[in-house]
Amino acid sequence: MRDILSDLDLGDDKLTDPVREAQTGLNKPLPNRFYKEAAVVEGKEGGFVVALDGKQVRTPSRQPLGVPHRGLAEAIAAEWQAQGDKINPATMPLTRMVNTAIDGVTAAQEEVFEEILRYGGSDLLCYRADAPEGLVARESELWDPYLDWASSMGARLVLSEGIVHVEQPPEAIRAIATLLRRYGTPLQLTALHTITSLTGSLVLALALAEGQGEPSEIWAAAHVDEDYNIAQWGEDHEAAESRAKRQLDFEAAHLILLAHRA
Protein backbone atom coordinates (compact mmCIF):
# COMPACT_ATOMS: atom_id res chain seq x y z
CA MET A 1 0.00 0.00 0.00
CA ARG A 2 2.75 2.46 0.93
CA ASP A 3 4.60 1.99 -2.34
CA ILE A 4 1.45 2.73 -4.33
CA LEU A 5 0.67 5.84 -2.33
CA SER A 6 4.24 7.08 -2.66
CA ASP A 7 4.15 6.58 -6.41
CA LEU A 8 0.93 8.57 -6.55
CA ASP A 9 2.53 11.57 -4.81
CA LEU A 10 -0.59 11.94 -2.69
CA GLY A 11 1.20 13.87 -0.01
CA ASP A 12 4.47 15.56 0.80
CA ASP A 13 6.58 16.17 3.86
CA LYS A 14 5.89 19.87 3.54
CA LEU A 15 3.03 22.11 2.51
CA THR A 16 3.32 22.98 -1.17
CA ASP A 17 1.46 25.18 -3.59
CA PRO A 18 -1.86 23.38 -4.19
CA VAL A 19 -1.86 23.98 -7.92
CA ARG A 20 1.64 22.60 -8.36
CA GLU A 21 0.79 19.79 -5.95
CA ALA A 22 -2.26 18.91 -8.03
CA GLN A 23 -0.05 18.55 -11.08
CA THR A 24 2.67 16.51 -9.35
CA GLY A 25 3.15 13.14 -10.91
CA LEU A 26 0.76 13.72 -13.80
CA ASN A 27 3.47 12.69 -16.27
CA LYS A 28 4.00 9.39 -14.48
CA PRO A 29 2.06 6.29 -15.54
CA LEU A 30 -1.01 6.00 -13.37
CA PRO A 31 -1.24 2.77 -11.36
CA ASN A 32 -4.08 0.36 -11.85
CA ARG A 33 -6.91 0.29 -9.37
CA PHE A 34 -6.18 -2.64 -7.06
CA TYR A 35 -9.27 -2.62 -4.80
CA LYS A 36 -13.01 -3.05 -5.13
CA GLU A 37 -14.44 -1.04 -2.26
CA ALA A 38 -13.39 2.09 -0.39
CA ALA A 39 -15.05 2.54 2.97
CA VAL A 40 -14.64 4.24 6.35
CA VAL A 41 -13.63 2.45 9.54
CA GLU A 42 -12.99 3.72 13.04
CA GLY A 43 -9.35 4.40 13.76
CA LYS A 44 -7.52 2.60 16.55
CA GLU A 45 -6.63 5.94 18.13
CA GLY A 46 -9.93 7.65 17.41
CA GLY A 47 -11.27 9.36 14.35
CA PHE A 48 -12.15 7.70 11.06
CA VAL A 49 -9.82 6.07 8.56
CA VAL A 50 -10.28 5.22 4.89
CA ALA A 51 -9.99 1.50 4.15
CA LEU A 52 -9.64 -0.23 0.80
CA ASP A 53 -11.13 -3.72 0.83
CA GLY A 54 -10.88 -3.60 4.61
CA LYS A 55 -7.23 -2.55 4.76
CA GLN A 56 -6.54 0.87 6.19
CA VAL A 57 -4.90 3.36 3.84
CA ARG A 58 -1.71 4.97 5.11
CA THR A 59 0.05 8.14 4.11
CA PRO A 60 3.52 7.97 2.53
CA SER A 61 5.01 8.35 6.03
CA ARG A 62 2.98 5.36 7.22
CA GLN A 63 0.37 7.27 9.22
CA PRO A 64 -3.29 6.18 8.97
CA LEU A 65 -5.18 8.26 6.40
CA GLY A 66 -7.72 9.42 8.95
CA VAL A 67 -9.66 12.50 10.01
CA PRO A 68 -11.71 13.42 13.11
CA HIS A 69 -15.06 13.66 11.31
CA ARG A 70 -16.93 10.76 9.74
CA GLY A 71 -18.53 12.91 7.04
CA LEU A 72 -15.13 14.13 5.86
CA ALA A 73 -13.73 10.58 5.92
CA GLU A 74 -16.68 9.45 3.80
CA ALA A 75 -15.93 12.19 1.28
CA ILE A 76 -12.31 11.01 1.08
CA ALA A 77 -13.44 7.41 0.64
CA ALA A 78 -15.74 8.60 -2.14
CA GLU A 79 -12.69 9.95 -4.00
CA TRP A 80 -11.15 6.48 -3.91
CA GLN A 81 -14.40 4.78 -4.84
CA ALA A 82 -14.85 7.12 -7.83
CA GLN A 83 -11.56 6.06 -9.41
CA GLY A 84 -11.79 4.09 -12.62
CA ASP A 85 -9.35 1.48 -13.88
CA LYS A 86 -6.51 3.87 -13.03
CA ILE A 87 -5.91 5.84 -9.82
CA ASN A 88 -5.53 9.51 -10.68
CA PRO A 89 -4.37 11.74 -7.79
CA ALA A 90 -5.37 14.86 -9.71
CA THR A 91 -8.99 13.92 -9.01
CA MET A 92 -8.39 13.34 -5.29
CA PRO A 93 -7.88 16.77 -3.69
CA LEU A 94 -9.15 15.75 -0.25
CA THR A 95 -6.79 12.79 -0.12
CA ARG A 96 -3.85 14.98 -1.11
CA MET A 97 -4.69 17.67 1.46
CA VAL A 98 -5.11 15.18 4.28
CA ASN A 99 -1.78 13.56 3.38
CA THR A 100 -0.16 16.99 3.40
CA ALA A 101 -1.73 17.86 6.76
CA ILE A 102 -0.70 14.60 8.41
CA ASP A 103 2.77 14.19 6.96
CA GLY A 104 3.82 17.82 6.72
CA VAL A 105 1.80 20.41 8.56
CA THR A 106 1.54 18.49 11.84
CA ALA A 107 5.27 18.97 12.42
CA ALA A 108 5.39 22.56 11.13
CA GLN A 109 2.19 24.27 12.23
CA GLU A 110 3.76 27.54 13.29
CA GLU A 111 5.75 27.82 10.06
CA VAL A 112 2.60 27.22 8.03
CA PHE A 113 0.71 29.75 10.14
CA GLU A 114 3.37 32.38 9.40
CA GLU A 115 3.33 31.52 5.71
CA ILE A 116 -0.42 32.02 5.52
CA LEU A 117 -0.26 35.24 7.54
CA ARG A 118 2.23 36.76 5.10
CA TYR A 119 -0.58 36.95 2.55
CA GLY A 120 -2.23 39.52 4.80
CA GLY A 121 0.55 41.97 4.00
CA SER A 122 -0.15 41.82 0.26
CA ASP A 123 -3.77 40.78 0.04
CA LEU A 124 -5.35 40.74 -3.41
CA LEU A 125 -8.27 42.89 -2.25
CA CYS A 126 -5.96 45.79 -1.41
CA TYR A 127 -4.61 46.24 -4.95
CA ARG A 128 -7.16 47.98 -7.15
CA ALA A 129 -7.22 48.69 -10.84
CA ASP A 130 -7.21 52.36 -11.83
CA ALA A 131 -8.95 51.63 -15.15
CA PRO A 132 -11.14 50.77 -16.98
CA GLU A 133 -14.10 52.14 -15.12
CA GLY A 134 -16.12 48.93 -15.37
CA LEU A 135 -13.37 46.87 -13.73
CA VAL A 136 -12.84 49.47 -11.00
CA ALA A 137 -16.54 49.37 -10.18
CA ARG A 138 -16.68 45.57 -10.25
CA GLU A 139 -13.71 45.24 -7.87
CA SER A 140 -15.32 47.66 -5.48
CA GLU A 141 -18.66 45.85 -5.67
CA LEU A 142 -17.23 42.40 -4.92
CA TRP A 143 -14.29 43.25 -2.69
CA ASP A 144 -15.49 46.06 -0.44
CA PRO A 145 -17.95 43.92 1.58
CA TYR A 146 -15.14 41.57 2.61
CA LEU A 147 -12.83 44.43 3.49
CA ASP A 148 -15.65 46.01 5.52
CA TRP A 149 -16.07 42.72 7.38
CA ALA A 150 -12.30 42.51 8.03
CA SER A 151 -12.39 46.09 9.28
CA SER A 152 -15.22 45.21 11.68
CA MET A 153 -12.92 42.52 13.07
CA GLY A 154 -10.17 45.06 13.67
CA ALA A 155 -8.25 44.54 10.42
CA ARG A 156 -8.54 47.89 8.62
CA LEU A 157 -6.37 47.41 5.53
CA VAL A 158 -4.89 50.13 3.34
CA LEU A 159 -5.73 50.13 -0.38
CA SER A 160 -3.47 50.87 -3.33
CA GLU A 161 -3.92 51.32 -7.06
CA GLY A 162 -1.92 49.13 -9.39
CA ILE A 163 0.87 46.89 -8.14
CA VAL A 164 2.77 49.37 -5.97
CA HIS A 165 3.27 47.70 -2.60
CA VAL A 166 1.54 49.28 0.36
CA GLU A 167 2.58 48.60 3.95
CA GLN A 168 -0.30 47.37 6.07
CA PRO A 169 -0.76 48.71 9.63
CA PRO A 170 0.70 46.36 12.28
CA GLU A 171 -2.58 46.43 14.20
CA ALA A 172 -4.43 45.18 11.12
CA ILE A 173 -2.02 42.26 10.72
CA ARG A 174 -2.37 41.46 14.42
CA ALA A 175 -6.15 41.37 14.05
CA ILE A 176 -5.85 39.02 11.07
CA ALA A 177 -3.45 36.84 13.06
CA THR A 178 -6.00 36.64 15.87
CA LEU A 179 -8.63 35.44 13.43
CA LEU A 180 -6.24 32.94 11.90
CA ARG A 181 -5.43 31.50 15.34
CA ARG A 182 -8.98 30.16 15.49
CA TYR A 183 -7.91 27.54 12.97
CA GLY A 184 -5.25 25.61 14.81
CA THR A 185 -5.46 22.06 13.52
CA PRO A 186 -3.15 20.81 10.75
CA LEU A 187 -6.16 20.12 8.52
CA GLN A 188 -7.62 23.59 9.01
CA LEU A 189 -4.27 25.22 8.29
CA THR A 190 -3.84 23.09 5.18
CA ALA A 191 -7.29 24.10 3.95
CA LEU A 192 -6.70 27.80 4.66
CA HIS A 193 -3.29 27.68 2.97
CA THR A 194 -4.91 26.13 -0.08
CA ILE A 195 -7.70 28.71 -0.27
CA THR A 196 -5.35 31.64 0.37
CA SER A 197 -2.95 30.42 -2.32
CA LEU A 198 -5.72 29.88 -4.84
CA THR A 199 -7.42 33.23 -4.25
CA GLY A 200 -4.41 35.38 -3.38
CA SER A 201 -6.40 36.71 -0.44
CA LEU A 202 -6.23 35.81 3.23
CA VAL A 203 -9.26 38.04 3.81
CA LEU A 204 -11.31 35.92 1.40
CA ALA A 205 -10.01 32.69 2.95
CA LEU A 206 -10.95 33.80 6.45
CA ALA A 207 -14.32 35.10 5.27
CA LEU A 208 -15.04 31.67 3.80
CA ALA A 209 -13.93 29.96 7.02
CA GLU A 210 -16.09 32.30 9.10
CA GLY A 211 -19.18 31.80 6.94
CA GLN A 212 -19.15 35.40 5.70
CA GLY A 213 -19.91 34.49 2.10
CA GLU A 214 -20.98 31.63 -0.11
CA PRO A 215 -18.13 29.69 -1.76
CA SER A 216 -19.34 30.71 -5.23
CA GLU A 217 -19.33 34.37 -4.22
CA ILE A 218 -15.83 34.20 -2.76
CA TRP A 219 -14.54 32.31 -5.80
CA ALA A 220 -16.05 34.99 -8.03
CA ALA A 221 -14.47 37.74 -5.92
CA ALA A 222 -11.07 36.10 -6.34
CA HIS A 223 -11.48 36.13 -10.14
CA VAL A 224 -12.88 39.60 -10.77
CA ASP A 225 -10.05 40.64 -13.09
CA GLU A 226 -10.00 37.33 -14.92
CA ASP A 227 -13.75 37.32 -15.44
CA TYR A 228 -13.71 40.91 -16.65
CA ASN A 229 -11.11 40.04 -19.28
CA ILE A 230 -13.08 36.96 -20.32
CA ALA A 231 -16.15 39.13 -20.81
CA GLN A 232 -14.13 41.46 -23.03
CA TRP A 233 -11.98 39.03 -25.01
CA GLY A 234 -13.42 35.55 -24.56
CA GLU A 235 -12.20 32.52 -22.65
CA ASP A 236 -9.11 30.45 -23.39
CA HIS A 237 -9.79 26.71 -23.31
CA GLU A 238 -6.60 25.75 -21.47
CA ALA A 239 -7.06 28.54 -18.94
CA ALA A 240 -10.61 27.35 -18.32
CA GLU A 241 -9.41 23.80 -17.68
CA SER A 242 -6.77 25.04 -15.27
CA ARG A 243 -9.32 27.14 -13.41
CA ALA A 244 -11.69 24.19 -13.13
CA LYS A 245 -8.95 22.09 -11.52
CA ARG A 246 -8.13 24.87 -9.08
CA GLN A 247 -11.78 25.16 -8.17
CA LEU A 248 -11.86 21.47 -7.25
CA ASP A 249 -9.11 22.13 -4.71
CA PHE A 250 -10.96 25.21 -3.48
CA GLU A 251 -14.15 23.23 -2.94
CA ALA A 252 -12.29 20.40 -1.21
CA ALA A 253 -10.60 22.85 1.16
CA HIS A 254 -13.97 24.42 1.93
CA LEU A 255 -15.37 20.97 2.74
CA ILE A 256 -12.57 20.50 5.28
CA LEU A 257 -13.45 23.81 6.93
CA LEU A 258 -17.14 22.90 7.00
CA ALA A 259 -16.38 19.58 8.66
CA HIS A 260 -14.57 21.36 11.47
CA ARG A 261 -17.36 23.91 11.84
CA ALA A 262 -20.04 21.22 12.30
Side-chain angles (χ1 to χ4, degrees), residues 41-96:
V41 299
E42 292 188 6
K44 294 180 180 179
E45 300 179 1
F48 303 92
V49 180
V50 176
L52 304 177
D53 293 340
K55 185 174 181 180
Q56 291 188 8
V57 180
R58 293 185 178 272
T59 70
S61 67
R62 300 294 293 157
Q63 301 300 312
L65 184 67
V67 293
H69 310 284
R70 176 178 286 277
L72 182 57
E74 290 173 347
I76 298 167
E79 289 185 339
W80 288 88
Q81 191 64 34
Q83 299 301 300
D85 294 336
K86 301 287 184 178
I87 304 173
N88 184 358
T91 64
M92 306 169 77
L94 283 172
T95 301
R96 288 185 282 106

Coordinates of all heavy atoms in Angstrom, one line a residue, residues 41-96:
V41 N -13.7 3.2 8.3 CA -13.6 2.5 9.5 C -13.2 3.4 10.7 O -12.5 4.4 10.5 CB -12.7 1.2 9.4 CG1 -13.2 0.3 8.3 CG2 -11.3 1.6 9.2
E42 N -13.5 3.0 11.9 CA -13.0 3.7 13.0 C -11.5 3.5 13.3 O -11.0 2.3 13.2 CB -13.8 3.3 14.3 CG -15.2 3.8 14.2 CD -16.0 3.6 15.6 OE1 -15.3 3.2 16.5 OE2 -17.2 3.8 15.6
G43 N -10.8 4.5 13.5 CA -9.4 4.4 13.8 C -9.0 3.8 15.1 O -9.8 4.0 16.1
K44 N -7.9 3.2 15.3 CA -7.5 2.6 16.5 C -7.3 3.7 17.6 O -7.5 3.4 18.8 CB -6.3 1.8 16.4 CG -6.5 0.5 15.5 CD -5.2 -0.3 15.4 CE -5.4 -1.5 14.5 NZ -4.1 -2.3 14.3
E45 N -6.9 4.8 17.2 CA -6.6 5.9 18.1 C -7.7 7.0 18.0 O -7.4 8.2 18.3 CB -5.2 6.5 17.9 CG -4.1 5.5 18.1 CD -2.7 6.0 17.8 OE1 -2.6 7.2 17.5 OE2 -1.8 5.3 18.0
G46 N -8.9 6.7 17.6 CA -9.9 7.6 17.4 C -10.0 8.1 16.0 O -9.1 7.9 15.1
G47 N -11.1 8.8 15.7 CA -11.3 9.4 14.4 C -11.7 8.3 13.4 O -12.1 7.1 13.8
F48 N -11.6 8.6 12.1 CA -12.1 7.7 11.1 C -11.1 7.6 10.0 O -10.6 8.6 9.5 CB -13.5 8.2 10.5 CG -14.5 8.4 11.6 CD1 -14.7 9.6 12.3 CD2 -15.3 7.3 12.0 CE1 -15.6 9.7 13.3 CE2 -16.2 7.4 13.0 CZ -16.4 8.6 13.7
V49 N -10.9 6.4 9.5 CA -9.8 6.1 8.6 C -10.4 5.5 7.3 O -11.4 4.7 7.4 CB -8.8 5.1 9.2 CG1 -7.7 4.8 8.2 CG2 -8.2 5.7 10.5
V50 N -9.9 5.8 6.2 CA -10.3 5.2 4.9 C -9.7 3.8 4.8 O -8.5 3.6 5.1 CB -9.8 6.1 3.7 CG1 -10.2 5.4 2.4 CG2 -10.5 7.5 3.8
A51 N -10.5 2.9 4.3 CA -10.0 1.5 4.1 C -10.4 1.0 2.7 O -11.4 1.3 2.2 CB -10.6 0.6 5.2
L52 N -9.4 0.3 2.1 CA -9.6 -0.2 0.8 C -9.7 -1.7 0.9 O -8.7 -2.4 1.4 CB -8.5 0.2 -0.1 CG -8.2 1.7 -0.3 CD1 -7.0 1.9 -1.2 CD2 -9.5 2.4 -0.8
D53 N -10.9 -2.3 0.6 CA -11.1 -3.7 0.8 C -10.8 -4.1 2.2 O -10.2 -5.2 2.5 CB -10.4 -4.6 -0.2 CG -10.9 -4.4 -1.6 OD1 -12.0 -3.9 -1.8 OD2 -10.1 -4.6 -2.6
G54 N -11.1 -3.3 3.2 CA -10.9 -3.6 4.6 C -9.5 -3.3 5.2 O -9.3 -3.3 6.4
K55 N -8.6 -2.9 4.3 CA -7.2 -2.6 4.8 C -7.1 -1.0 4.8 O -7.3 -0.3 3.8 CB -6.2 -3.1 3.8 CG -4.8 -2.9 4.3 CD -3.8 -3.7 3.4 CE -2.3 -3.5 3.9 NZ -1.4 -4.2 3.1
Q56 N -6.7 -0.6 6.0 CA -6.5 0.9 6.2 C -5.5 1.5 5.3 O -4.4 0.9 5.1 CB -6.2 1.2 7.6 CG -7.3 0.9 8.6 CD -7.0 1.4 10.0 OE1 -6.0 2.1 10.2 NE2 -7.8 1.0 11.0
V57 N -5.8 2.6 4.7 CA -4.9 3.4 3.8 C -4.0 4.1 4.8 O -4.4 4.7 5.8 CB -5.7 4.3 2.9 CG1 -4.7 5.1 2.0 CG2 -6.6 3.6 2.0
R58 N -2.7 4.2 4.4 CA -1.7 5.0 5.1 C -1.1 6.0 4.2 O -1.0 5.9 3.0 CB -0.6 4.1 5.7 CG -1.2 3.1 6.8 CD -0.1 2.3 7.4 NE -0.7 1.5 8.5 CZ -0.8 1.9 9.8 NH1 -0.4 3.1 10.1 NH2 -1.3 1.0 10.7
T59 N -0.6 7.1 4.8 CA 0.1 8.1 4.1 C 1.4 7.7 3.7 O 1.9 6.6 4.2 CB 0.2 9.4 5.0 OG1 1.1 9.1 6.0 CG2 -1.2 9.8 5.6
P60 N 2.2 8.4 2.9 CA 3.5 8.0 2.5 C 4.5 7.8 3.7 O 5.4 7.1 3.7 CB 4.0 9.1 1.6 CG 2.7 9.5 0.9 CD 1.7 9.5 2.0
S61 N 4.2 8.5 4.8 CA 5.0 8.4 6.0 C 4.4 7.3 7.0 O 4.8 7.2 8.2 CB 5.2 9.7 6.8 OG 3.9 10.1 7.3
R62 N 3.5 6.5 6.5 CA 3.0 5.4 7.2 C 2.0 5.7 8.3 O 1.8 4.9 9.2 CB 4.1 4.5 7.8 CG 5.1 3.9 6.7 CD 4.4 2.9 5.8 NE 4.0 1.7 6.6 CZ 3.0 0.9 6.2 NH1 2.3 1.2 5.1 NH2 2.7 -0.2 6.9
Q63 N 1.4 6.9 8.3 CA 0.4 7.3 9.2 C -1.0 6.9 8.6 O -1.2 6.9 7.4 CB 0.4 8.8 9.5 CG 1.7 9.3 10.1 CD 2.1 8.6 11.4 OE1 1.2 8.5 12.3 NE2 3.3 8.1 11.5
P64 N -1.9 6.5 9.5 CA -3.3 6.2 9.0 C -3.9 7.4 8.3 O -3.8 8.5 8.8 CB -4.1 5.8 10.2 CG -3.0 5.4 11.2 CD -1.8 6.3 10.9
L65 N -4.5 7.2 7.1 CA -5.2 8.3 6.4 C -6.5 8.5 7.1 O -7.6 8.0 6.6 CB -5.3 7.9 4.9 CG -5.9 9.0 4.0 CD1 -5.0 10.2 3.9 CD2 -6.3 8.5 2.7
G66 N -6.5 9.2 8.2 CA -7.7 9.4 8.9 C -8.0 10.9 9.3 O -7.1 11.7 9.3
V67 N -9.2 11.2 9.6 CA -9.7 12.5 10.0 C -10.6 12.4 11.2 O -11.2 11.3 11.5 CB -10.4 13.2 8.8 CG1 -9.4 13.5 7.7 CG2 -11.5 12.4 8.3
P68 N -10.9 13.5 11.9 CA -11.7 13.4 13.1 C -13.2 13.3 12.8 O -14.0 12.9 13.7 CB -11.4 14.8 13.8 CG -10.2 15.3 13.2 CD -10.2 14.8 11.8
H69 N -13.6 13.6 11.6 CA -15.1 13.7 11.3 C -15.5 12.6 10.3 O -14.9 12.5 9.2 CB -15.4 15.0 10.8 CG -14.9 16.2 11.6 ND1 -15.4 16.5 12.8 CD2 -13.8 17.0 11.5 CE1 -14.7 17.5 13.4 NE2 -13.7 17.8 12.6
R70 N -16.5 11.8 10.6 CA -16.9 10.8 9.7 C -17.3 11.3 8.4 O -17.0 10.7 7.3 CB -18.1 10.0 10.4 CG -18.6 8.9 9.4 CD -19.8 8.1 10.1 NE -19.3 7.1 11.1 CZ -18.8 5.9 10.8 NH1 -18.7 5.5 9.5 NH2 -18.4 5.2 11.7
G71 N -18.1 12.4 8.3 CA -18.5 12.9 7.0 C -17.4 13.2 6.1 O -17.4 13.0 4.9
L72 N -16.3 13.8 6.7 CA -15.1 14.1 5.9 C -14.4 12.8 5.4 O -14.0 12.7 4.2 CB -14.2 15.0 6.7 CG -12.9 15.5 5.9 CD1 -13.2 16.2 4.7 CD2 -12.0 16.3 6.9
A73 N -14.3 11.9 6.3 CA -13.7 10.6 5.9 C -14.5 9.9 4.8 O -13.9 9.3 3.9 CB -13.7 9.7 7.1
E74 N -15.9 10.0 4.9 CA -16.7 9.4 3.8 C -16.4 10.2 2.5 O -16.5 9.5 1.4 CB -18.1 9.5 4.2 CG -18.5 8.6 5.3 CD -19.9 8.7 5.9 OE1 -20.5 9.8 5.5 OE2 -20.4 7.9 6.6
A75 N -16.2 11.5 2.5 CA -15.9 12.2 1.3 C -14.6 11.8 0.7 O -14.4 11.7 -0.5 CB -15.9 13.7 1.6
I76 N -13.6 11.5 1.6 CA -12.3 11.0 1.1 C -12.5 9.6 0.5 O -11.9 9.3 -0.6 CB -11.3 11.0 2.2 CG1 -11.1 12.4 2.8 CG2 -9.9 10.4 1.8 CD1 -10.3 12.4 4.1
A77 N -13.2 8.8 1.2 CA -13.4 7.4 0.6 C -14.1 7.5 -0.7 O -13.9 6.7 -1.6 CB -14.3 6.6 1.6
A78 N -15.0 8.5 -0.9 CA -15.7 8.6 -2.1 C -14.8 8.9 -3.3 O -15.0 8.5 -4.4 CB -16.8 9.7 -2.0
E79 N -13.7 9.7 -3.0 CA -12.7 10.0 -4.0 C -12.1 8.6 -4.5 O -11.8 8.5 -5.7 CB -11.6 10.9 -3.5 CG -12.0 12.3 -3.2 CD -10.9 13.2 -2.8 OE1 -9.8 12.7 -2.3 OE2 -11.0 14.4 -3.0
W80 N -11.7 7.8 -3.5 CA -11.1 6.5 -3.9 C -12.1 5.6 -4.7 O -11.8 4.9 -5.6 CB -10.6 5.8 -2.7 CG -9.4 6.4 -2.1 CD1 -9.4 7.4 -1.2 CD2 -8.1 6.0 -2.4 NE1 -8.0 7.7 -0.9 CE2 -7.2 6.9 -1.6 CE3 -7.5 5.1 -3.2 CZ2 -5.8 6.8 -1.6 CZ3 -6.1 5.0 -3.2 CH2 -5.3 5.9 -2.5
Q81 N -13.4 5.6 -4.2 CA -14.4 4.8 -4.8 C -14.7 5.3 -6.3 O -15.0 4.5 -7.1 CB -15.7 4.8 -4.0 CG -16.7 3.8 -4.4 CD -16.2 2.3 -4.2 OE1 -15.5 2.0 -3.3 NE2 -16.6 1.4 -5.1
A82 N -14.5 6.5 -6.5 CA -14.9 7.1 -7.8 C -13.8 6.9 -8.9 O -14.0 7.1 -10.1 CB -15.1 8.6 -7.7
Q83 N -12.6 6.3 -8.4 CA -11.6 6.1 -9.4 C -12.0 5.0 -10.4 O -12.7 4.0 -10.0 CB -10.3 5.7 -8.7 CG -9.7 6.7 -7.8 CD -9.4 8.0 -8.5 OE1 -8.6 8.1 -9.4 NE2 -10.1 9.1 -8.1
G84 N -11.5 5.1 -11.6 CA -11.8 4.1 -12.6 C -10.8 3.0 -12.6 O -10.3 2.5 -11.6
D85 N -10.4 2.5 -13.8 CA -9.4 1.5 -13.9 C -8.0 2.0 -13.4 O -7.2 1.2 -13.0 CB -9.2 1.0 -15.3 CG -10.5 0.3 -15.8 OD1 -11.3 -0.2 -14.9 OD2 -10.8 0.2 -17.0
K86 N -7.8 3.3 -13.5 CA -6.5 3.9 -13.0 C -6.8 4.8 -11.8 O -7.9 5.3 -11.7 CB -5.9 4.7 -14.1 CG -5.5 3.9 -15.4 CD -4.3 3.0 -15.2 CE -3.9 2.3 -16.5 NZ -2.7 1.4 -16.3
I87 N -5.8 4.9 -11.0 CA -5.9 5.8 -9.8 C -5.2 7.2 -10.2 O -4.0 7.2 -10.4 CB -5.3 5.2 -8.6 CG1 -5.9 3.9 -8.3 CG2 -5.4 6.2 -7.4 CD1 -5.2 3.1 -7.1
N88 N -6.0 8.2 -10.2 CA -5.5 9.5 -10.7 C -5.6 10.5 -9.5 O -6.6 11.0 -9.2 CB -6.4 10.0 -11.8 CG -5.9 11.3 -12.4 OD1 -4.9 11.9 -11.9 ND2 -6.5 11.8 -13.4
P89 N -4.4 10.8 -8.9 CA -4.4 11.7 -7.8 C -4.9 13.1 -8.1 O -5.3 13.9 -7.2 CB -2.9 11.8 -7.4 CG -2.2 11.4 -8.6 CD -3.0 10.4 -9.3
A90 N -4.9 13.5 -9.4 CA -5.4 14.9 -9.7 C -6.9 15.0 -9.4 O -7.3 16.1 -9.3 CB -5.1 15.2 -11.2
T91 N -7.5 13.9 -9.3 CA -9.0 13.9 -9.0 C -9.3 13.6 -7.5 O -10.4 13.3 -7.2 CB -9.7 12.9 -9.9 OG1 -9.3 11.6 -9.6 CG2 -9.5 13.2 -11.4
M92 N -8.2 13.7 -6.7 CA -8.4 13.3 -5.3 C -7.9 14.5 -4.4 O -6.9 14.3 -3.6 CB -7.7 12.0 -5.0 CG -8.1 10.9 -5.9 SD -7.0 9.4 -5.8 CE -7.6 8.7 -4.3
P93 N -8.4 15.7 -4.5 CA -7.9 16.8 -3.7 C -8.0 16.6 -2.2 O -7.1 17.0 -1.4 CB -8.7 18.0 -4.1 CG -10.0 17.4 -4.7 CD -9.6 16.1 -5.3
L94 N -9.0 16.0 -1.7 CA -9.2 15.8 -0.3 C -8.1 14.8 0.2 O -7.4 15.1 1.3 CB -10.5 15.2 0.1 CG -11.7 16.2 0.1 CD1 -13.0 15.4 0.3 CD2 -11.5 17.2 1.2
T95 N -7.8 13.7 -0.5 CA -6.8 12.8 -0.1 C -5.4 13.5 -0.1 O -4.6 13.3 0.9 CB -6.8 11.6 -1.1 OG1 -8.0 11.0 -1.1 CG2 -5.7 10.6 -0.7
R96 N -5.1 14.3 -1.1 CA -3.9 15.0 -1.1 C -3.7 16.0 0.1 O -2.6 16.0 0.7 CB -3.7 15.7 -2.4 CG -3.5 14.8 -3.6 CD -3.2 15.5 -4.9 NE -4.4 16.0 -5.5 CZ -4.7 17.3 -5.5 NH1 -4.0 18.2 -4.9 NH2 -5.9 17.7 -6.1

